[in-house]
Amino acid sequence: MSTTGSPPTVADVVAALDRRYPPAWAEEWDRVGLVLGEPDHPVRRVACVVDVVPETVQEALAAGADMIVAHHPLLLRGVYSVAATTYKGRIVHRLIKADVALYVAHTNADVAAPGVSDALAARFGLTGLRPLHPPRPGSPADGPGRGIGRVGELPTPMTLAELTRLAAAVLPVTAWGVRAAGDPGRMVRTLAVSGGSGDGFLADAAAAGVDAFLTADLRHHPAGEHLAAGGPALLDAAHWATERPWLDDLAAHLAAELGVETVVSDLDTDPWTVHAAAPRPDDDKEPRP
């Protein structure tokens, strides 16, 4: 932050975020860092969001934000036009017209310590944390405590059914909720968590020897084969809900590091908006007189 008493600039915020979540830590396919914004523009208020969509942009503009820091990239794949006739082009145009900068911290925030999965682990009070999937030795992200996901111990052992109810209570509310796979009575003492899509880390959860693994976007066949092989029980939450907790840590860091005001979006951007549980067999029976 400037020592002259003036607010930090976009460049100052970028520098602070790059120190905490170095872009070199991101996966090769990822697109992180400053997406748009004038480096010398002052930043008094930062909006923290999971997804850059018209609704979160409107929320940020209504809050008077000068900059948005998002987890998911707006422009991840090849883009040949940002014309206002396209979905993403309209977002880009709106941000530029409002002079609002955009920064993305994605897989570099996933692997960081503290990072996305540390915030998720904190919701369950996990202790003795270690990475679920450490970075490749010698890679830019290699370092103490860093890696995808976290493994820890619950404060109190509980059954899988109890843990599923706890997850639904401590995670942000979504229509998706939380579903679990495994014996409902299985005792869970150690839990692995991974914010966002954790389908690719089932083998890591099994190798870690945990009792259960909570993540998002689990698929039918990999989950079934994992359980058939004796792997940990599974809990599948909404993608957005597993990453939203990190926004609080992000906002607190920016406020402490730069003295900026921060607003955190609680707008549920999970695409699944309706959930209906199958009726129990007894529910269809006519009540007896």
Side-chain angles (χ1 to χ4, degrees):
M1 185 174 181
S2 171
T3 58
T4 64
S6 58
T9 63
V10 168
D12 293 328
V13 178
V14 168
L17 289 166
D18 283 354
R19 286 193 297 270
R20 192 168 179 85
Y21 312 112
W25 292 359
E27 296 289 336
E28 291 184 2
W29 52 263
D30 205 2
R31 298 293 179 267
V32 300
L34 186 65
V35 179
L36 55 89
E38 294 286 349
D40 59 354
H41 186 72
V43 177
R44 296 175 176 82
R45 183 170 296 162
V46 177
C48 303
V49 309
V50 173
D51 294 294
V52 186
V53 294
E55 294 81 3
T56 54
V57 169
Q58 173 59 34
E59 190 179 50
L61 297 185
D66 303 297
M67 187 170 186
I68 294 174
V69 178
H71 185 49
H72 291 148
L74 173 64
L75 306 174
L76 180 59
R77 296 177 176 85
V79 174
Y80 302 97
S81 171
V82 289
T85 53
T86 65
Y87 173 79
K88 292 186 178 182
R90 284 192 292 274
I91 292 175
V92 169
H93 277 254
R94 190 170 191 196
L95 291 174
I96 291 175
K97 286 180 178 179
D99 214 1
V100 174
L102 173 62
Y103 181 98
V104 169
H106 191 210
T107 53
N108 49 331
D110 288 332
V111 77
V116 172
S117 289
D118 292 285
L120 180 57
R123 293 287 178 116
F124 295 89
L126 298 184
T127 57
L129 295 182
R130 67 181 192 275
L132 173 65
H133 181 81
R136 176 177 51 81
S139 67
D142 187 23
R146 294 199 286 269
I148 299 294
R150 294 293 180 266
V151 174
E153 186 170 336
L154 289 165
T156 304
M158 61 185 69
T159 66
L160 176 61
E162 291 170 334
L163 177 60
T164 305
R165 289 192 290 270
L166 174 65
V170 301
L171 293 178
V173 176
T174 61
W176 180 272
V178 180
R179 60 182 182 176
D183 179 0
R186 176 175 181 167
M187 291 303 300
V188 179
R189 294 174 176 81
T190 54
L191 176 66
V193 300
S194 185
S197 300
D199 203 63
F201 305 111
L202 293 173
D204 294 279
V210 296
D211 299 311
F213 176 36
L214 180 144
T215 187
D217 300 341
L218 292 176
R219 292 175 294 157
H220 176 89
H221 292 294
E225 292 170 9
H226 164 88
L227 293 171
L234 300 174
L235 293 95
D236 189 25
H239 192 122
W240 173 83
T242 63
E243 296 175 329
R244 161 60 185 84
W246 170 70
L247 299 183
D248 294 323
D249 290 356
L250 169 66
H253 175 71
L254 290 174
E257 181 82 2
L258 298 169
V260 294
E261 295 181 25
T262 56
V263 290
V264 172
S265 175
D266 278 316
L267 185 65
D268 178 5
T269 53
D270 190 72
W272 307 105
T273 57
V274 178
H275 171 83
R280 297 176 181 273
D282 291 342
D283 292 344
D284 293 333
K285 295 180 179 178
E286 292 292 333
R288 293 182 180 180

